[in-house]
Amino acid sequence: LVMLIPKSLGIILPQLLSRTFDKHGLNEAKVILFQAMKFFSTVSIPLIVYIYFNSFTILTIFANKQIANAGVIISLITSLSVVLLGMNLIMTNVLMVNLKTKNIFKINLVVSFVNIALNLILLNYFKDINIPAFTTLLAYFLSTILILRTIDKSWLQKEMILVIFKNLLLAIIIFTIIYFINNFIPTYNRIIDLTINTSIYIILFL
């Protein structure tokens, strides 16, 4: 569901950024990019903590404990991957505005090759279902580095880093509160725990 944000933005951002850049200049276009990144990071980063605490319960409800035990780590790694992928998709719009579509193709090609290669190598030595999720996370991290190296630095703002740190701080606060409640005020009922954790996440998020 979180990925709907950058994918939806991917439909309107290129045209909006191009039009704003042409009519009002770089500074106005940077504001739009910043707001898009701010909105996505505010939603997605704290969600990692929520998934960390609640993935087992959610998977148990919709599947069974065996699948839940196997899927907890995958869920956490996947949530991290989603954050990186979403940010990459938003930043890729800048490359499209600057007519660097060839760079986008090259980055995707390199990342895909690295992902496949890592899977083939690691799965040959480690028979673990978490490996594909882990290699995907590494691939998206590599993609982030390549995009940041390719993108025109004039588009980047210090405020973006501050927003990310702010949301990381919010994630830490959510983690601390939920951890305290789950360990020191146990309900011994996963449905109740899920309800409490969800309520805390929504309240702090708002």
Side-chain angles (χ1 to χ4, degrees), residues 48 51-52 55-56 59 66-82 128-137:
I48 297 172
I51 291 174
Y52 172 79
S55 58
F56 180 83
L59 289 171
Q66 183 178 0
I67 295 176
N69 284 324
V72 167
I73 296 178
I74 294 177
S75 298
L76 182 60
I77 296 175
T78 301
S79 65
L80 292 169
S81 299
V82 166
D128 193 326
I129 61 172
N130 296 315
I131 293 298
F134 179 69
T135 56
T136 300
L137 176 61

Side-chain angles (χ1 to χ4, degrees), residues 1 21 51 80 100 129 144-145 163 184 193 198:
L1 291 176
F21 182 78
I51 291 174
L80 292 169
K100 293 184 177 181
I129 61 172
T144 302
I145 295 174
V163 166
F184 296 99
D193 287 340
T198 303

Side-chain angles (χ1 to χ4, degrees), residues 6-157:
K7 287 185 177 180
S8 300
L9 290 172
I11 298 174
I12 61 174
L13 264 185
Q15 296 179 3
L16 185 59
L17 287 175
S18 296
R19 188 180 305 169
T20 305
F21 182 78
D22 292 337
K23 290 185 177 180
H24 305 287
L26 176 61
N27 288 334
E28 291 294 326
K30 285 165 62 176
V31 172
I32 296 174
L33 179 67
F34 170 74
Q35 293 298 329
M37 188 69 75
K38 179 182 178 180
F39 180 66
F40 176 73
S41 63
T42 301
V43 174
S44 62
I45 293 178
L47 190 63
I48 297 172
V49 175
Y50 178 82
I51 291 174
Y52 172 79
F53 281 106
N54 299 292
S55 58
F56 180 83
T57 301
I58 294 172
L59 289 171
T60 302
I61 293 172
F62 290 100
N64 54 56
K65 288 187 177 181
Q66 183 178 0
I67 295 176
N69 284 324
V72 167
I73 296 178
I74 294 177
S75 298
L76 182 60
I77 296 175
T78 301
S79 65
L80 292 169
S81 299
V82 166
V83 173
L84 288 177
L85 176 59
M87 291 183 176
N88 291 346
L89 289 175
I90 293 173
M91 290 189 294
T92 298
N93 289 292
V94 175
L95 298 179
M96 295 177 66
V97 171
N98 291 335
L99 303 178
K100 293 184 177 181
T101 52
K102 289 184 179 179
N103 296 87
I104 297 174
F105 174 78
K106 290 178 182 178
I107 291 172
N108 289 334
L109 184 64
V110 170
V111 170
S112 298
F113 175 79
V114 170
N115 192 13
I116 294 172
L118 285 175
N119 273 301
L120 292 174
I121 295 171
L122 293 178
L123 285 173
N124 189 46
Y125 293 97
F126 306 100
K127 307 301 181 182
D128 193 326
I129 61 172
N130 296 315
I131 293 298
F134 179 69
T135 56
T136 300
L137 176 61
L138 291 179
Y140 287 151
F141 182 71
L142 174 62
S143 178
T144 302
I145 295 174
L146 293 176
I147 291 172
L148 288 175
R149 290 187 61 181
T150 306
I151 200 172
D152 189 341
K153 300 303 183 291
S154 59
W155 282 88
L156 302 178
Q157 297 175 279

